[in-house]
Amino acid sequence: MQILSGLINSITGRFVLLVLLLMACLWVNDSRGQAEEASAEEIQLQFKVPIIPEQMWVFRETDGLDPPEEGVIFWIGRNREGEGRFLAVTSEKVLVENTFQQLLTQNMKAGDPRLLYFGSTYPRNSFFHRIDLDGDGSDEVLLTSTGGVADNAFLTIFKVTSAGVRQIYKDGSRFSLRIIDIDNDGKYELANAGFEWVAQENVPGPKEFTIYSLNQGSYVRTKTMTAEEFTGLEGRFSKQGRLNAPVTLEKRPVFTLYPAEKQSHLLESK
């Protein structure tokens, strides 16, 4: 699983250094407390909702090329008034000096071709991952996060193509989510334990799992399984050697990957 791919060595140009310095200033000022927070908050990206950038991640279809191919940038930031966190996806063209200056001072309208996606996201522990879920040879982007009083797990999936960026799944669970190739066809289903629970030896446990399958490029609900049925499925996968360790955030499982045998290479670190 490749995380934070190409953040340092895949972006070139003097102005990118300025961007990274601005990010560093944000992080440093935030750690110094509220006395210096106001100066950091002067740096905002003017999307539909202006955001103070906190994270930046670059996705490229192929990493390691020299010169690098043009990628897309995932920005995560918070509203200045503290009302929510937002995710913006832009083309890398916004890092051209004049364009970035405009992004700091003028609202980027929804119809701007450089703005590929904008929406709300979850409050804590956001990490990006990439994996080919539909077997077409191109990776999808997975954003895992946590939020809520119970520190619930959330998963958002994006399809990145030459036509743009499209959200194909977004949901959460009190327990965890599984990515699982049920029928071993190289296309992954999602199993979401949801938020309903039953007592299991005086400890809350999942009541059932909802299974989502790819249909016309998006994940749609196809069936439900009781927790007992899904546990049995996990047991069979374990015996077949198709069980992989959970991907975790802050020691909390967010999703578990059960690979098809023919796609076991996806487990290798890139």
Side-chain angles (χ1 to χ4, degrees), residues 6-260:
L7 182 59
I8 297 176
N9 61 3
S10 63
I11 308 176
T12 60
R14 293 180 302 171
F15 204 72
V16 178
L17 296 177
L18 174 60
V19 175
L20 297 179
L21 286 173
L22 293 179
M23 298 298 176
C25 289
L26 286 174
W27 295 326
V28 171
N29 279 316
D30 185 64
S31 66
R32 290 177 179 173
Q34 294 183 351
E36 295 183 49
E37 188 172 348
S39 62
E41 292 192 354
E42 293 176 0
I43 302 171
Q44 296 185 81
L45 303 180
Q46 303 298 323
F47 297 111
K48 181 179 179 180
V49 175
I51 64 172
I52 300 164
E54 297 175 330
Q55 289 178 249
M56 170 187 172
W57 184 77
V58 180
F59 173 85
R60 301 180 190 283
E61 184 62 38
T62 304
D63 276 327
L65 298 180
D66 187 15
E69 67 180 20
E70 183 177 314
V72 297
I73 302 177
F74 288 75
W75 308 86
I76 291 180
R78 57 188 173 85
N79 181 265
R80 183 167 189 169
E81 284 71 34
E83 298 177 355
R85 296 176 79 229
F86 296 88
L87 170 69
V89 186
T90 67
S91 69
E92 200 170 7
K93 293 177 181 177
V94 301
L95 295 183
V96 177
E97 184 169 356
N98 291 339
T99 303
F100 192 77
Q101 289 291 348
Q102 293 174 3
L103 186 57
L104 292 174
T105 58
Q106 303 174 22
N107 285 345
M108 179 175 278
K109 298 180 180 179
D112 193 308
R114 295 164 300 186
L115 181 60
L116 307 176
Y117 175 88
F118 187 85
S120 62
T121 190
Y122 300 103
R124 294 188 294 276
N125 300 325
S126 295
F127 293 92
F128 291 97
H129 319 264
R130 55 186 296 168
I131 186 173
D132 182 3
L133 294 173
D134 56 11
D136 68 350
S138 298
D139 288 347
E140 280 68 53
V141 173
L142 286 67
L143 172 61
T144 56
S145 308
T146 59
V149 176
D151 212 23
N152 298 316
F154 295 96
L155 172 64
T156 310
I157 304 176
F158 297 93
K159 181 71 174 179
V160 181
T161 67
S162 58
V165 175
R166 184 167 57 90
Q167 177 184 290
I168 62 174
Y169 181 82
K170 184 178 183 180
D171 208 345
S173 171
R174 176 174 181 171
F175 303 98
S176 63
L177 302 102
R178 271 78 158 176
I179 297 178
I180 179 171
D181 185 355
I182 293 177
D183 49 12
N184 200 24
D185 64 351
K187 296 181 180 179
Y188 288 87
E189 287 74 38
L190 306 177
N192 188 341
F195 294 91
E196 293 189 41
W197 60 276
V198 293
Q200 299 177 357
E201 298 180 356
N202 297 322
V203 177
K207 179 180 180 180
E208 63 182 17
F209 285 80
T210 302
I211 309 300
Y212 295 83
S213 301
L214 282 165
N215 184 2
Q216 297 183 347
S218 295
Y219 277 99
V220 297
R221 177 174 176 170
T222 54
K223 63 179 179 180
T224 59
M225 301 178 69
T226 66
E228 291 78 12
E229 290 173 330
F230 194 81
T231 298
L233 180 66
E234 287 182 310
R236 291 195 298 274
F237 270 52
S238 179
K239 291 179 181 178
Q240 295 169 8
R242 295 169 61 193
L243 182 63
N244 188 48
V247 175
T248 61
L249 295 180
E250 303 298 328
K251 300 182 180 180
R252 178 180 176 82
V254 173
F255 63 85
T256 305
L257 174 64
Y258 300 95

